[in-house]
């Protein structure tokens, strides 16, 4: 269950290290912000806490049709198109994943087909096992870890942090 937090923490560290290498090769201040894109795992984004100093979080259209978070503007005004019906807004999604997403954080479940981006264009930087809820059928083992028994009954997917090649 710790995979999302661990992956986001690792993402921040990786981007900071990459940025430090780029700054050594370029003039200081020339390194632009990067984008981390998230698809169906949008609700597991803890916040931008781990990456707010180096990256922006963007959304991939992966089938969710509700209201998504928007970038913080101010406490007294908003220009984002919010609504009270939880109705989706297509302006929140990136228009070209390959060009706009420097990194992707996603959950690769066992039998899932990824259609929202081209996996071949990205390399796995970090991955961590994460319970595959659709392939693990026993509710008790989805809820509680029982040593020596759970590993035989639980199916894991990979929570991944990807970098564009």
């Amino acid at each position: 269950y710790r995979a999302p937090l661990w992956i986001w923490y690792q993402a921040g560290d990786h981007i900071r290290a990459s940025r430090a290498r780029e700054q050594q090769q370029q003039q200081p201040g020339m390194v632009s912000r990067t984008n981390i894109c998230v698809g169906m795992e949008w609700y597991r984004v803890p916040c931008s806490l781990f990456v707010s100093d180096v990256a922006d979080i963007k959304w991939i259209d992966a089938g969710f049709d509700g209201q998504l978070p928007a970038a913080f503007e101010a406490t007294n005004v908003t220009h984002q198109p919010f609504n009270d019906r939880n109705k989706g807004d297509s302006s929140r999604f990136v228009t070209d994943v390959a060009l706009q997403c420097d990194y992707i954080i996603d959950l690769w479940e066992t039998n899932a087909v990824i259609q929202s981006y081209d996996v071949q264009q990205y390399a796995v930087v970090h991955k961590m096992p994460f319970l595959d809820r659709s392939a693990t059928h026993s509710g008790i083992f989805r809820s509680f870890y029982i040593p020596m028994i759970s590993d035989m009954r639980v199916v894991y997917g990979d929570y991944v942090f990807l970098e564009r090649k």
Side-chain angles (χ1 to χ4, degrees):
Y1 293 109
R2 71 174 195 208
L5 286 176
W6 186 83
I7 288 291
W8 279 97
Y9 181 81
Q10 294 300 319
D13 279 356
H14 178 81
I15 294 169
R16 279 182 209 89
S18 295
R19 179 168 283 199
R21 284 190 302 273
E22 288 176 15
Q23 285 179 339
Q24 288 177 350
Q25 297 170 358
Q26 298 176 2
Q27 294 176 353
M30 296 293 292
V31 180
S32 63
R33 290 182 66 78
T34 57
N35 291 328
I36 299 177
C37 293
V38 181
M40 287 300 288
E41 289 295 297
W42 69 269
Y43 58 92
R44 286 199 182 104
V45 175
C47 69
S48 60
L49 175 70
F50 296 119
V51 297
S52 62
D53 59 326
V54 291
D56 295 317
I57 298 173
K58 303 291 183 185
W59 311 112
I60 297 172
D61 188 359
F64 179 71
D65 62 352
Q67 188 75 33
L68 287 167
F72 178 77
E73 295 173 339
T75 57
N76 61 347
V77 66
T78 182
H79 299 291
Q80 298 292 338
F82 287 108
N83 62 72
D84 61 354
R85 294 177 303 281
N86 195 29
K87 191 174 178 184
D89 177 21
S90 62
S91 70
R92 301 273 169 85
F93 298 116
V94 295
T95 54
D96 188 343
V97 174
L99 288 176
Q100 293 177 276
C101 298
D102 303 303
Y103 301 94
I104 294 176
I105 292 182
D106 199 6
L107 173 62
W108 288 352
E109 293 180 311
T110 309
N111 296 320
V113 176
I114 299 168
Q115 298 176 343
S116 52
Y117 59 93
D118 183 2
V119 177
Q120 302 302 320
Q121 292 184 353
Y122 290 86
V124 175
V125 177
H126 292 287
K127 68 179 178 177
M128 187 171 197
F130 193 72
L131 182 106
D132 186 339
R133 65 184 178 272
S134 61
T136 302
H137 301 292
S138 175
I140 189 78
F141 294 108
R142 285 173 50 170
S143 302
F144 302 102
Y145 179 77
I146 303 169
M148 296 181 284
I149 299 174
S150 289
D151 289 336
M152 293 184 294
R153 305 288 232 137
V154 173
V155 177
Y156 292 96
D158 287 319
Y159 211 86
V160 295
F161 172 52
L162 309 170
E163 181 175 26
R164 185 173 50 218
K165 293 180 182 176

